[in-house]
Amino acid sequence: MLKESTPDITPEEVEHIAHLSRIEISEEDKIQFAGELGRIIHYINKLSEVDTTGVDPTFRTAPIFNVFREDTPRESFPAEEILANAPEKEEGCFRMPRIIGG
Amino acid sequence: MKFETVIGLEVHVELSTQTKLFCSCKNSFGANPNTLVCPVCLGMPGVLPVVNKEAIEKHIMAALAVGCRIPEHSKFDRKNYFYPDMPKNFQTSQYDLPLALGGSLEINLPDGEKKVIGITRIHLEEDTGKSKHAGETGSIVESDYTLLDYNRAGVPLLEIVSEPDMRTPEEAYQYLNELKKILVWLGVSDCKMEQGSLRCDANISIRPEGQEEFGVKAEIKNMNSFRSVRSALLYEEKRQREVIESGGRIIQETRGWEEDRGITVSMRSKEEAHDYRYFPEPDLPPMVVDKEWIERAKQKLPELPGERKLRFAAEYGLPEYDSGILNLSRSISDFFEEAAKLSGDPKQTSNWLMGDILKYLNQNELEIHETRLKPEALAEMINLIKKDVISGKIGKDLIEELLKNGGNPEEIVEKRGWKQISSGDDLLPVIKQVVDDNPKVLTQYLEGKESVKGFFVGQVMKKTAGKANPALVGKMMDEELERRKNNR
């Protein structure tokens, strides 16, 4: 059974993750998500209870590897099409708010 | 207190493939902004990246050349971050299973000693787009907005991470030179720092001499030449020493090198590795490099500069010095070998290459294949000199002509009238004339000052515009002066 009581995620950690994903969330959300994310982690942690001694790590479930293409150039898209969705453009470039340095 | 400096370098080089790493857009420098972009490198929803095989081949080649181990299994991962230089909000890179691990590079130190610098790993990732910060100063902090060109986004990029094995800024400088030499030699990258196809970040810390534990490091960025790497590290080791000596402590941070001011300034505190939330790239199947593949790659690996240096010395009987100079670049080395075989005189071939030719290349900032000189022409010229058709002095004019305009040496000599005067009948009148024109010098000679003979020979060479055979002039001048002495 899943433990409901002690979430492994604190509201501060939720805030940090939200910041990394550039999402704004309210104080109530932080508490709610902390609980939900904690339960998810508990659930996933059940996997580590399985004894995997002698089992090779699996990075993919499909048995395919080495899918390559030849190094032959093809036409790119016209710059106007590439820039079609840009909210702002200038000198053939995407224009965006300044990047904060410090 | 005495301090020891510890330096490790992260070098990024763009691979010189025809296309990008995950799509077929051209990998090319200098095109108009956003003209080498497609939905894949722009990260549009639903697109599927496919790995460029040539990038993997070049990666393996570079890795083998510096003695790396190629693990059988490797994969790509997503490195997640929000920064507009990657339109996808993640960069496809390699995290825990890179294509190459554990190599080394031998560097030459100024005192003639050699030192081995460890290479931790080499992984493959996609390059980012280029941002231009607009505003009055062009500085990132004061800019009003940013312009993004994604032509570079998705270009295959090797990250070569060294061990913290360097102890002086000079060692870091030598390491960069050696690394560039080998990568250019292999043809995997052109390593042009001014075009951004080679970039370098440095980790530097100091610790009291004798201490095992590393000090707190700073990561230095924004260095745009090998020299500025060295200058920035010299500045930074001094700065850290002064902080510690004045009772302060070093904080882990990223610092930018400001070339004009000659200082490093704090940029931002370094984000923790787990902030990137790496996870396996679900769109790219893993890679398996088996023994057969590695064997094939080893077969294709060209002879490396170190091996070739030894072979040239043995096979062509060249001094080690010559062999070292000729093998600083693959193009010179290949050129030498071809010309030496054709001329049958390796030492003369080496002399011309190390002398007049290298001087010309350095002065004009050219590679030898960018000139009009061909190995056949150099070989022919050397034989024209050996057969006394032209003098060595004329050879200097001829080589410049061949470098600038190319052509057939024999035809040029004929057309320019550069043939050496090797007939006594042609030379005798000039010799008599020179002696007659300089009675005072002749008197000196007759009074026993034999060294003035050199002056007479020089005058003959001048009058014949360097075309006279110097050995013949010397011999005939001796005879002429002897005659004057006897006829006194």
Side-chain angles (χ1 to χ4, degrees):
Chain A
M1 280 303 289
L2 300 181
K3 277 182 236 153
E4 295 283 332
S5 51
T6 50
D8 286 319
I9 300 278
T10 64
E12 288 71 35
E13 282 172 310
V14 173
E15 192 182 331
H16 178 61
I17 296 164
H19 169 71
L20 289 176
S21 309
R22 303 296 184 270
I23 298 170
E24 262 181 68
I25 54 173
S26 66
E27 289 302 316
E28 298 81 66
D29 284 347
K30 275 180 212 164
I31 293 159
Q32 185 194 333
F33 291 152
E36 287 176 2
L37 288 171
R39 282 193 293 279
I40 291 170
I41 286 187
H42 273 299
Y43 184 62
I44 298 292
N45 275 347
K46 281 206 87 71
L47 287 173
S48 48
E49 291 169 17
V50 181
D51 181 11
T52 54
T53 331
V55 179
D56 283 337
T58 305
F59 298 102
R60 292 295 184 295
T61 47
I64 47 167
F65 57 87
N66 291 357
V67 178
F68 300 127
R69 41 167 261 276
E70 293 305 312
D71 188 24
T72 314
R74 286 224 294 254
E75 279 296 303
S76 298
F77 278 46
E80 306 79 69
E81 279 187 46
I82 290 300
L83 292 162
N85 294 328
E88 286 184 73
K89 50 202 148 193
E90 187 176 314
E91 297 168 30
C93 292
F94 292 81
R95 180 182 153 144
M96 47 198 79
R98 76 177 194 135
I99 299 165
I100 312 288
Chain B
M1 197 192 295
K2 275 201 141 184
F3 287 100
E4 179 180 57
T5 302
V6 176
I7 299 167
L9 297 180
E10 284 173 23
V11 177
H12 285 93
V13 291
E14 289 180 348
L15 293 178
S16 46
T17 51
Q18 297 293 309
T19 66
K20 291 187 181 183
L21 184 51
F22 302 122
C23 65
S24 301
C25 287
K26 265 193 203 138
N27 168 11
S28 155
F29 179 81
N32 285 331
N34 294 304
T35 53
L36 305 176
V37 184
C38 73
V40 176
C41 48
L42 200 57
M44 297 299 276
V47 295
L48 195 61
V50 186
V51 177
N52 179 350
K53 180 148 194 227
E54 184 60 21
I56 306 293
E57 297 281 3
K58 284 192 153 64
H59 185 161
I60 292 175
M61 192 184 258
L64 291 175
V66 294
C68 282
R69 183 163 59 78
I70 314 286
E72 193 178 352
H73 295 276
S74 55
K75 65 174 169 79
F76 284 104
D77 301 276
R78 287 190 184 180
K79 179 182 180 180
N80 299 280
Y81 68 99
F82 277 86
Y83 204 71
D85 61 358
M86 275 321 280
K88 306 188 288 189
N89 287 339
F90 64 84
Q91 179 190 29
T92 306
S93 180
Q94 294 194 287
Y95 183 53
D96 55 344
L97 296 177
L99 262 160
L101 289 164
S104 66
L105 202 60
E106 190 179 76
I107 60 169
N108 296 302
L109 301 180
D111 59 6
E113 293 290 308
K114 291 183 190 306
K115 179 172 177 178
V116 174
I117 307 297
I119 289 174
T120 316
R121 57 185 271 161
I122 306 179
H123 71 249
L124 185 57
E125 60 190 23
E126 55 183 337
D127 206 348
T128 59
K130 225 189 288 179
S131 32
K132 202 161 69 177
H133 304 289
E136 274 175 35
T137 60
S139 142
I140 183 167
V141 187
E142 291 160 47
S143 61
D144 301 325
Y145 54 90
T146 302
L147 297 180
L148 257 298
D149 169 13
Y150 292 119
N151 282 348
R152 204 180 65 182
V155 163
L157 192 68
L158 285 189
E159 179 171 330
I160 303 165
V161 183
S162 86
E163 290 288 313
D165 284 349
M166 287 156 273
R167 293 290 171 268
T168 63
E170 179 63 26
E171 287 179 18
Y173 179 75
Q174 294 300 331
Y175 170 85
L176 287 171
N177 276 299
E178 198 58 37
L179 188 63
K180 173 180 174 173
K181 180 172 127 185
I182 208 154
L183 295 172
V184 172
W185 184 281
L186 294 169
V188 301
S189 174
D190 57 17
C191 295
K192 287 184 179 162
M193 218 162 171
E194 69 282 6
Q195 291 186 2
S197 63
L198 185 151
R199 306 192 284 276
C200 172
D201 299 335
N203 288 307
I204 174 169
S205 62
I206 62 169
R207 61 182 172 190
E209 219 164 57
Q211 180 181 306
E212 279 281 315
E213 201 187 323
F214 290 136
V216 176
K217 69 183 176 186
E219 186 179 7
I220 316 296
K221 288 180 178 290
N222 292 351
M223 298 162 292
N224 49 24
S225 71
F226 289 179
R227 276 198 194 94
S228 63
V229 171
R230 187 168 53 188
S231 310
L233 290 172
L234 280 168
Y235 171 83
E236 185 61 19
E237 69 179 352
K238 186 163 161 274
R239 184 192 71 86
Q240 293 189 8
R241 203 169 49 228
E242 284 169 3
V243 167
I244 291 177
E245 279 172 348
S246 63
R249 58 186 197 92
I250 307 297
I251 52 164
Q252 183 163 336
E253 61 180 346
T254 302
R255 300 179 69 86
W257 170 245
E258 299 204 348
E259 185 82 39
D260 312 342
R261 299 163 69 194
I263 59 167
T264 64
V265 292
S266 183
M267 290 171 80
R268 61 183 152 94
S269 56
K270 190 158 172 58
E271 285 178 59
E272 297 273 327
H274 63 252
D275 274 7
Y276 290 127
R277 295 156 297 149
Y278 283 95
F279 64 86
E281 166 59 62
D283 286 341
L284 295 167
M287 291 170 288
V288 175
V289 182
D290 58 18
K291 285 205 184 74
E292 288 74 43
W293 189 347
I294 294 171
E295 230 13 79
R296 269 200 318 275
K298 278 185 180 159
Q299 299 297 327
K300 276 198 286 183
L301 208 61
E303 187 182 21
L304 297 174
E307 300 163 5
R308 198 179 270 195
K309 185 178 157 188
L310 295 176
R311 180 170 66 79
F312 276 10
E315 198 173 318
Y316 298 109
L318 290 182
E320 199 186 316
Y321 174 79
D322 288 37
S323 193
I325 300 273
L326 294 174
N327 283 302
L328 287 177
S329 95
R330 173 102 173 259
S331 53
I332 293 281
S333 177
D334 285 349
F335 192 98
F336 164 79
E337 186 141 45
E338 220 180 318
K341 281 187 176 136
L342 292 166
S343 70
D345 191 336
K347 182 59 186 145
Q348 278 305 318
T349 308
S350 159
N351 287 352
W352 281 102
L353 274 166
M354 296 197 311
D356 293 63
I357 297 174
L358 273 187
K359 194 171 137 202
Y360 178 87
L361 297 179
N362 290 338
Q363 275 171 359
N364 296 285
E365 292 180 13
L366 289 171
E367 295 288 330
I368 195 153
H369 57 264
E370 293 169 328
T371 73
R372 307 290 297 271
L373 180 68
K374 297 278 170 277
E376 298 77 23
L378 176 59
E380 196 181 324
M381 188 193 88
I382 287 167
N383 281 308
L384 290 176
I385 296 170
K386 285 173 87 175
K387 286 189 284 187
D388 284 336
V389 178
I390 56 169
S391 65
K393 197 163 175 299
I394 288 294
K396 286 174 166 297
D397 295 332
L398 179 54
I399 200 75
E400 198 170 333
E401 173 66 18
L402 290 168
L403 282 160
K404 277 186 187 146
N405 302 313
N408 176 305
E410 217 166 341
E411 281 170 16
I412 295 170
V413 166
E414 193 66 44
K415 208 168 72 191
R416 301 274 180 113
W418 277 348
K419 268 198 180 157
Q420 181 160 264
I421 306 168
S422 292
S423 126
D425 292 347
D426 292 339
L427 280 179
L428 194 58
V430 186
I431 286 171
K432 284 181 184 298
Q433 182 80 52
V434 163
V435 178
D436 288 342
D437 285 352
N438 295 284
K440 276 186 192 156
V441 186
L442 179 62
T443 310
Q444 284 178 325
Y445 179 84
L446 296 176
E447 283 165 0
K449 199 177 171 201
E450 297 201 351
S451 61
V452 298
K453 182 196 149 194
F455 169 79
F456 286 128
V457 171
Q459 289 299 304
V460 174
M461 295 309 290
K462 204 169 157 189
K463 271 198 172 340
T464 56
K467 289 185 290 179
N469 177 334
L472 185 60
V473 173
K475 186 168 150 275
M476 290 179 67
M477 187 58 76
D478 281 342
E479 290 166 4
E480 179 63 23
L481 292 173
E482 195 60 25
R483 225 177 356 254
R484 303 281 174 134
K485 211 188 250 176
N486 297 335
N487 291 349
R488 227 171 348 165

